[in-house]
Amino acid sequence: MDRPHGDAAISRHRDLLASLLATGQARGAVRADIPADLLAALCDGWMMMFPIEPDRFTPDRVQALLDAALTLIAPSPGASGTSSG
């Protein structure tokens, strides 16, 4: 099945999210020990599963997923927010 428009939209979404995360990393608001594109990839599963199992994405569950994602990308307390390597 050929889906060039869908693939392009997903790619743009992923690139935009990675860019936002990179900006957050530069500001120290997002952990910098994991590249922004890998942090953005964490959302790939949500994008894949939502059309298949939309009933699993209740408002409460979406909020819980967002809360968990924010916890995972937050810098550690006292961290400088910059990568050490």
Side-chain angles (χ1 to χ4, degrees):
M1 180 163 89
D2 188 20
R3 299 180 51 214
H5 298 296
D7 291 344
I10 290 169
S11 180
R12 282 192 307 273
H13 170 78
R14 189 179 296 125
D15 291 345
L16 175 61
L17 182 55
S19 176
L20 290 170
L21 289 166
T23 298
Q25 287 175 324
R27 293 180 179 168
V30 173
R31 65 184 301 161
D33 58 330
I34 299 172
D37 64 318
L38 293 181
L39 291 174
L42 294 173
C43 295
D44 287 350
W46 298 356
M47 289 190 302
M48 288 174 45
M49 294 309 297
F50 180 73
I52 296 168
E53 296 183 293
D55 293 342
R56 289 184 64 212
F57 291 85
T58 64
D60 288 341
R61 183 169 171 89
V62 169
Q63 186 62 56
L65 288 166
L66 291 172
D67 291 345
L70 290 173
T71 298
L72 290 171
I73 67 170
S76 299
S80 67
T82 58
S83 178
S84 62

